[in-house]
Amino acid sequence: MHRTAPPSLPRLAAASLAGTAIEFYDFFIYGTAAALVLGPLFFPTFSPLAGTLAAFATFGVGFVARPLGSVLFGHIGDRHGRRPVLIASLLLTGVATVAVGCVPTYESIGIAAPALLLVLRFLQGLGLGGEWGGAVLLTAEHAPAERRGLWASFPQIGPSVGFLLANGIMLVLSATLSEAQFAAWGWRVPFWVAGLLVAAGLALRSSLAESPDFLKLREHARVPLAEVVRGHWRLVLLTAGALAVGYAVFYAVTTWSLSYGVERLGVSRTVMLACIMAAVVVKGALTPLVAVLGDRYGRRPLCLLGCAATALWMFPMIALLATGQPLLMFTGFLVAMLAFITMFAVIGAYLPELYEPRMRCTGAAVGYNLGGVVGGALTPIVATAAARGDGTPWGVAAYLTGIALLSLGCFALLPETRPVAVPAAATG
């Protein structure tokens, strides 16, 4: 078994953050491309609306693959250690992302083009399904119980960094290239950049030490998924339902609203990306501060507060978006992101604390990624369909509010875990 000197917590947190940032960069760049260019390039025989829906459908395939990835890599993490998961998941997602940038369009190879997109998007999701569990657990299981929320929040900053990096590159390209250049080759550049980022991430993660909780286990789960389903199926379903709202809100803001603003409101791609990115910057910066509150006041109260705030804000957010005014749109996105991070800043500590170490990698990751299917995969598709009319898309607000209320009920049924420490090892 791989053993190295235990790393300092700041170094471990930085490595976990960097890895999740790279993985989510890979995942988000596809969502942005789906909102902006993939429809016309890979589904040209469809109407503009149908092409966007088809592109978002390939986007959703990644979410469907994520629970499968959490099962595959969760098994590895619970049987062989958290560290191998970090290496393998990063490599799989990175290779698939670079390959997306090389797929010829429908004009060149016909139906094989969208078929290849589906396969590669599935592989992206498979890798990302393993990433979260490995990165969060390795950090959480090294951290002291009284500061677990803080240290486990750093991998949760990774999605913000990945989103900003992905969309920052896309913003520069869309601002400097003509529409024809962007459609011809510019959209591919961010996918190729993923190769460099993955190489850097692998170098950073290669020296990480294995989790002390895993090393202390006297007996490993033989089939972790079977143990999770047999003994904790209710917990998995509750966590999936609870986390659905976070995914729904995040992808409504970062993916659907981008497409809606550009195609329906006539706002420039650059302005929409800038509004969304500014809100995500604030979200990422506040993540560790909110996590400290979770260490002090508990995980569950913050999650309930975030759900309630989301339910109350969705109709105002859609109203502000419909104005097409940058400052008002930014305000709508910002409040939504603050409600989101009130929940998700503490999830890195909350989910692992709900499971014993022998099945923790599988249980936490499956619940987390099933929430992505419920809230993330369907949201861009449902929101695009619900916004088909000419007026303000109140149907989107109603859908997001409904998801928030569902998640509020699920969080209400989950137990509080602070200040209960994660057991050092299972007794078998």
PDB file of all heavy atoms in Angstrom, residues 110-128:
ATOM      1  N   GLY A 110     -21.184  13.219 -40.410  1.00  0.00           N
ATOM      2  CA  GLY A 110     -22.586  12.882 -40.254  1.00  0.00           C
ATOM      3  C   GLY A 110     -22.973  12.485 -38.842  1.00  0.00           C
ATOM      4  O   GLY A 110     -22.469  13.043 -37.857  1.00  0.00           O
ATOM      5  N   ILE A 111     -23.827  11.474 -38.737  1.00  0.00           N
ATOM      6  CA  ILE A 111     -24.397  11.089 -37.446  1.00  0.00           C
ATOM      7  C   ILE A 111     -23.350  10.582 -36.472  1.00  0.00           C
ATOM      8  O   ILE A 111     -23.563  10.559 -35.250  1.00  0.00           O
ATOM      9  CB  ILE A 111     -25.480  10.007 -37.658  1.00  0.00           C
ATOM     10  CG1 ILE A 111     -26.343   9.844 -36.400  1.00  0.00           C
ATOM     11  CG2 ILE A 111     -24.842   8.690 -38.065  1.00  0.00           C
ATOM     12  CD1 ILE A 111     -27.159  11.049 -36.054  1.00  0.00           C
ATOM     13  N   ALA A 112     -22.196  10.177 -36.974  1.00  0.00           N
ATOM     14  CA  ALA A 112     -21.124   9.724 -36.080  1.00  0.00           C
ATOM     15  C   ALA A 112     -20.640  10.852 -35.174  1.00  0.00           C
ATOM     16  O   ALA A 112     -20.142  10.580 -34.072  1.00  0.00           O
ATOM     17  CB  ALA A 112     -19.952   9.180 -36.900  1.00  0.00           C
ATOM     18  N   ALA A 113     -20.790  12.097 -35.603  1.00  0.00           N
ATOM     19  CA  ALA A 113     -20.313  13.225 -34.806  1.00  0.00           C
ATOM     20  C   ALA A 113     -21.062  13.344 -33.481  1.00  0.00           C
ATOM     21  O   ALA A 113     -20.440  13.320 -32.407  1.00  0.00           O
ATOM     22  CB  ALA A 113     -20.411  14.522 -35.615  1.00  0.00           C
ATOM     23  N   PRO A 114     -22.402  13.468 -33.483  1.00  0.00           N
ATOM     24  CA  PRO A 114     -23.093  13.511 -32.189  1.00  0.00           C
ATOM     25  C   PRO A 114     -22.965  12.217 -31.404  1.00  0.00           C
ATOM     26  O   PRO A 114     -22.979  12.239 -30.167  1.00  0.00           O
ATOM     27  CB  PRO A 114     -24.549  13.801 -32.572  1.00  0.00           C
ATOM     28  CG  PRO A 114     -24.673  13.436 -34.004  1.00  0.00           C
ATOM     29  CD  PRO A 114     -23.332  13.694 -34.602  1.00  0.00           C
ATOM     30  N   ALA A 115     -22.820  11.080 -32.095  1.00  0.00           N
ATOM     31  CA  ALA A 115     -22.635   9.811 -31.384  1.00  0.00           C
ATOM     32  C   ALA A 115     -21.328   9.813 -30.596  1.00  0.00           C
ATOM     33  O   ALA A 115     -21.268   9.371 -29.435  1.00  0.00           O
ATOM     34  CB  ALA A 115     -22.653   8.649 -32.372  1.00  0.00           C
ATOM     35  N   LEU A 116     -20.268  10.327 -31.210  1.00  0.00           N
ATOM     36  CA  LEU A 116     -18.993  10.436 -30.497  1.00  0.00           C
ATOM     37  C   LEU A 116     -19.085  11.397 -29.319  1.00  0.00           C
ATOM     38  O   LEU A 116     -18.497  11.149 -28.249  1.00  0.00           O
ATOM     39  CB  LEU A 116     -17.891  10.900 -31.466  1.00  0.00           C
ATOM     40  CG  LEU A 116     -17.350   9.843 -32.434  1.00  0.00           C
ATOM     41  CD1 LEU A 116     -16.425  10.479 -33.460  1.00  0.00           C
ATOM     42  CD2 LEU A 116     -16.626   8.742 -31.661  1.00  0.00           C
ATOM     43  N   LEU A 117     -19.809  12.492 -29.501  1.00  0.00           N
ATOM     44  CA  LEU A 117     -20.018  13.423 -28.394  1.00  0.00           C
ATOM     45  C   LEU A 117     -20.657  12.717 -27.203  1.00  0.00           C
ATOM     46  O   LEU A 117     -20.259  12.920 -26.047  1.00  0.00           O
ATOM     47  CB  LEU A 117     -20.908  14.588 -28.824  1.00  0.00           C
ATOM     48  CG  LEU A 117     -20.277  15.767 -29.551  1.00  0.00           C
ATOM     49  CD1 LEU A 117     -21.310  16.882 -29.696  1.00  0.00           C
ATOM     50  CD2 LEU A 117     -19.045  16.288 -28.818  1.00  0.00           C
ATOM     51  N   LEU A 118     -21.668  11.923 -27.477  1.00  0.00           N
ATOM     52  CA  LEU A 118     -22.352  11.200 -26.405  1.00  0.00           C
ATOM     53  C   LEU A 118     -21.397  10.281 -25.648  1.00  0.00           C
ATOM     54  O   LEU A 118     -21.388  10.246 -24.418  1.00  0.00           O
ATOM     55  CB  LEU A 118     -23.504  10.380 -26.983  1.00  0.00           C
ATOM     56  CG  LEU A 118     -24.798  11.123 -27.299  1.00  0.00           C
ATOM     57  CD1 LEU A 118     -25.754  10.205 -28.046  1.00  0.00           C
ATOM     58  CD2 LEU A 118     -25.452  11.618 -26.014  1.00  0.00           C
ATOM     59  N   VAL A 119     -20.578   9.535 -26.385  1.00  0.00           N
ATOM     60  CA  VAL A 119     -19.651   8.604 -25.749  1.00  0.00           C
ATOM     61  C   VAL A 119     -18.638   9.349 -24.886  1.00  0.00           C
ATOM     62  O   VAL A 119     -18.379   8.975 -23.723  1.00  0.00           O
ATOM     63  CB  VAL A 119     -18.930   7.758 -26.805  1.00  0.00           C
ATOM     64  CG1 VAL A 119     -17.806   6.935 -26.172  1.00  0.00           C
ATOM     65  CG2 VAL A 119     -19.912   6.839 -27.518  1.00  0.00           C
ATOM     66  N   LEU A 120     -18.078  10.420 -25.430  1.00  0.00           N
ATOM     67  CA  LEU A 120     -17.057  11.169 -24.689  1.00  0.00           C
ATOM     68  C   LEU A 120     -17.647  11.897 -23.496  1.00  0.00           C
ATOM     69  O   LEU A 120     -17.017  11.996 -22.431  1.00  0.00           O
ATOM     70  CB  LEU A 120     -16.351  12.147 -25.628  1.00  0.00           C
ATOM     71  CG  LEU A 120     -15.517  11.484 -26.727  1.00  0.00           C
ATOM     72  CD1 LEU A 120     -15.002  12.526 -27.717  1.00  0.00           C
ATOM     73  CD2 LEU A 120     -14.343  10.700 -26.116  1.00  0.00           C
ATOM     74  N   ARG A 121     -18.857  12.413 -23.651  1.00  0.00           N
ATOM     75  CA  ARG A 121     -19.517  13.062 -22.518  1.00  0.00           C
ATOM     76  C   ARG A 121     -19.800  12.043 -21.422  1.00  0.00           C
ATOM     77  O   ARG A 121     -19.684  12.344 -20.228  1.00  0.00           O
ATOM     78  CB  ARG A 121     -20.818  13.720 -22.994  1.00  0.00           C
ATOM     79  CG  ARG A 121     -21.583  14.449 -21.893  1.00  0.00           C
ATOM     80  CD  ARG A 121     -20.752  15.560 -21.295  1.00  0.00           C
ATOM     81  NE  ARG A 121     -21.518  16.335 -20.336  1.00  0.00           N
ATOM     82  CZ  ARG A 121     -21.013  17.284 -19.566  1.00  0.00           C
ATOM     83  NH1 ARG A 121     -19.734  17.580 -19.628  1.00  0.00           N
ATOM     84  NH2 ARG A 121     -21.774  17.949 -18.716  1.00  0.00           N
ATOM     85  N   PHE A 122     -20.171  10.826 -21.808  1.00  0.00           N
ATOM     86  CA  PHE A 122     -20.386   9.768 -20.834  1.00  0.00           C
ATOM     87  C   PHE A 122     -19.096   9.481 -20.057  1.00  0.00           C
ATOM     88  O   PHE A 122     -19.117   9.338 -18.828  1.00  0.00           O
ATOM     89  CB  PHE A 122     -20.870   8.502 -21.542  1.00  0.00           C
ATOM     90  CG  PHE A 122     -21.152   7.357 -20.619  1.00  0.00           C
ATOM     91  CD1 PHE A 122     -22.388   7.221 -20.017  1.00  0.00           C
ATOM     92  CD2 PHE A 122     -20.171   6.405 -20.357  1.00  0.00           C
ATOM     93  CE1 PHE A 122     -22.650   6.164 -19.156  1.00  0.00           C
ATOM     94  CE2 PHE A 122     -20.422   5.349 -19.493  1.00  0.00           C
ATOM     95  CZ  PHE A 122     -21.666   5.225 -18.898  1.00  0.00           C
ATOM     96  N   LEU A 123     -17.966   9.412 -20.752  1.00  0.00           N
ATOM     97  CA  LEU A 123     -16.688   9.159 -20.088  1.00  0.00           C
ATOM     98  C   LEU A 123     -16.295  10.310 -19.177  1.00  0.00           C
ATOM     99  O   LEU A 123     -15.729  10.097 -18.095  1.00  0.00           O
ATOM    100  CB  LEU A 123     -15.599   8.913 -21.134  1.00  0.00           C
ATOM    101  CG  LEU A 123     -15.758   7.636 -21.964  1.00  0.00           C
ATOM    102  CD1 LEU A 123     -14.663   7.554 -23.029  1.00  0.00           C
ATOM    103  CD2 LEU A 123     -15.733   6.400 -21.070  1.00  0.00           C
ATOM    104  N   GLN A 124     -16.586  11.544 -19.590  1.00  0.00           N
ATOM    105  CA  GLN A 124     -16.365  12.696 -18.714  1.00  0.00           C
ATOM    106  C   GLN A 124     -17.115  12.526 -17.401  1.00  0.00           C
ATOM    107  O   GLN A 124     -16.569  12.723 -16.311  1.00  0.00           O
ATOM    108  CB  GLN A 124     -16.840  13.982 -19.388  1.00  0.00           C
ATOM    109  CG  GLN A 124     -15.841  14.697 -20.257  1.00  0.00           C
ATOM    110  CD  GLN A 124     -16.353  16.077 -20.626  1.00  0.00           C
ATOM    111  OE1 GLN A 124     -17.543  16.295 -20.837  1.00  0.00           O
ATOM    112  NE2 GLN A 124     -15.456  17.035 -20.700  1.00  0.00           N
ATOM    113  N   GLY A 125     -18.391  12.200 -17.518  1.00  0.00           N
ATOM    114  CA  GLY A 125     -19.207  12.031 -16.327  1.00  0.00           C
ATOM    115  C   GLY A 125     -18.741  10.887 -15.454  1.00  0.00           C
ATOM    116  O   GLY A 125     -18.786  10.973 -14.221  1.00  0.00           O
ATOM    117  N   LEU A 126     -18.289   9.804 -16.082  1.00  0.00           N
ATOM    118  CA  LEU A 126     -17.788   8.652 -15.330  1.00  0.00           C
ATOM    119  C   LEU A 126     -16.601   9.068 -14.454  1.00  0.00           C
ATOM    120  O   LEU A 126     -16.531   8.723 -13.275  1.00  0.00           O
ATOM    121  CB  LEU A 126     -17.375   7.557 -16.312  1.00  0.00           C
ATOM    122  CG  LEU A 126     -17.375   6.110 -15.810  1.00  0.00           C
ATOM    123  CD1 LEU A 126     -18.790   5.663 -15.477  1.00  0.00           C
ATOM    124  CD2 LEU A 126     -16.771   5.197 -16.864  1.00  0.00           C
ATOM    125  N   GLY A 127     -15.674   9.835 -15.048  1.00  0.00           N
ATOM    126  CA  GLY A 127     -14.517  10.285 -14.285  1.00  0.00           C
ATOM    127  C   GLY A 127     -14.885  11.259 -13.184  1.00  0.00           C
ATOM    128  O   GLY A 127     -14.383  11.168 -12.055  1.00  0.00           O
ATOM    129  N   LEU A 128     -15.765  12.189 -13.478  1.00  0.00           N
ATOM    130  CA  LEU A 128     -16.141  13.188 -12.475  1.00  0.00           C
ATOM    131  C   LEU A 128     -16.911  12.542 -11.332  1.00  0.00           C
ATOM    132  O   LEU A 128     -16.836  13.010 -10.189  1.00  0.00           O
ATOM    133  CB  LEU A 128     -16.980  14.292 -13.120  1.00  0.00           C
ATOM    134  CG  LEU A 128     -17.250  15.509 -12.236  1.00  0.00           C
ATOM    135  CD1 LEU A 128     -15.946  16.175 -11.829  1.00  0.00           C
ATOM    136  CD2 LEU A 128     -18.146  16.506 -12.951  1.00  0.00           C
TER     137      LEU A 128
END
